[in-house]
């Protein structure tokens, strides 16, 4: 689990990055709408998170991937879906990120699976995130494939968990070998 001070710096660094047309493939809210709903909202107290029930979130993921010429980083925007099972004993968070697009680049086919998510009800929300998950899969630009082996750390927003946000980070292996990448994600809860 990544600490919030390092994570916060990464989040601020990437929050203004542009992307392509991704982030709204499922007809959900746009990144700007999501950010507008989350800005100024308090983080959920991890000790008060539900122990039963489920929640689903639609949103976006931004990632700076080294897919450009000579391994240059390209900013991608993708659609994000998360399903949270607050009552599960394990694998509490699952989902996917897909539809990776860059403003002036080639879109990436494929997707990333979000699995093995855990909620941390005993964490200090001022120092660490309250959930994490694995983020893995393969993306392709039609010429080359890129294998992602990554993680995501996040937090729920306000006391009714109406949104999520956080960081993504990990390894990417492509034609130039292995490199690292990072990014951000956010989403709003889908009404039941």
């Amino acid at each position: 689990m990544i600490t919030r001070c390092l994570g916060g710096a990464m989040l601020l660094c990437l929050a203004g990055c542009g992307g392509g047309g991704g982030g709204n493939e499922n007809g959900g809210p746009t990144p700007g709408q999501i950010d507008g709903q989350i800005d100024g909202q308090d983080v959920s107290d991890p000790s008060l998170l539900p122990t039963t029930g489920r929640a689903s979130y639609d949103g976006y993921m931004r990632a700076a991937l080294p897919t450009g010429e000579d391994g240059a980083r390209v900013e991608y925007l993708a659609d994000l879906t998360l399903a949270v099972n607050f009552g599960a004993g394990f694998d509490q968070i699952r989902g996917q990120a897909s539809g990776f697009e860059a403003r002036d680049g080639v879109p990436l086919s494929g997707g990333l699976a979000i699995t093995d998510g855990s909620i941390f009800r005993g964490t200090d929300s001022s120092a660490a995130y309250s959930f994490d998950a694995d983020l893995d899969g393969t993306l392709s630009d039609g010429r080359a494939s890129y294998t992602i082996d990554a993680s995501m750390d996040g937090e729920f927003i306000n006391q009714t968990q109406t949104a999520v946000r956080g960081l993504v980070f990990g390894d990417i292996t492509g034609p130039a070998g292995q490199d690292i990448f990072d990014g951000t994600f956010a989403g709003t809860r889908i009404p039941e």
Side-chain angles (χ1 to χ4, degrees), residues 10-184:
M10 290 170 63
L11 186 63
L12 288 174
C13 175
L14 287 167
C17 295
N24 197 18
E25 181 178 288
N26 299 323
T30 66
Q33 291 169 329
I34 293 168
D35 293 342
Q37 290 179 29
I38 294 175
D39 286 348
Q41 297 287 319
D42 291 332
V43 174
S44 302
D45 181 340
S47 67
L48 300 178
L49 290 172
T51 56
T52 61
R54 297 172 183 264
S56 297
Y57 298 86
D58 267 345
Y60 69 87
M61 179 178 291
R62 284 192 173 106
L65 303 176
T67 61
E69 191 171 327
D70 297 325
R73 298 206 179 273
V74 176
E75 298 291 337
Y76 288 93
L77 182 62
D79 297 305
L80 173 76
T81 59
L82 285 180
V84 179
N85 184 344
F86 290 106
F90 61 92
D91 205 15
Q92 295 165 308
I93 298 171
R94 299 184 64 78
Q96 68 175 3
S98 61
F100 283 81
E101 293 186 22
R103 178 178 291 137
D104 298 318
V106 176
L108 300 177
S109 62
L112 304 180
I114 299 164
T115 59
D116 297 325
S118 297
I119 297 173
F120 305 105
R121 291 182 173 83
T123 193
D124 175 358
S125 63
S126 68
Y129 287 96
S130 58
F131 70 83
D132 69 9
D134 292 338
L135 178 68
D136 303 297
T138 301
L139 303 173
S140 173
D141 62 9
R143 299 179 316 257
S145 292
Y146 301 89
T147 302
I148 304 289
D149 180 13
S151 299
M152 56 193 303
D153 279 345
E155 58 197 1
F156 296 96
I157 303 301
N158 73 44
Q159 297 314 312
T160 54
Q161 303 83 47
T162 58
V164 292
R165 69 177 170 208
L167 306 173
V168 297
F169 51 92
D171 296 327
I172 178 170
T173 303
Q178 190 176 58
D179 201 344
I180 59 173
F181 78 97
D182 57 20
T184 61

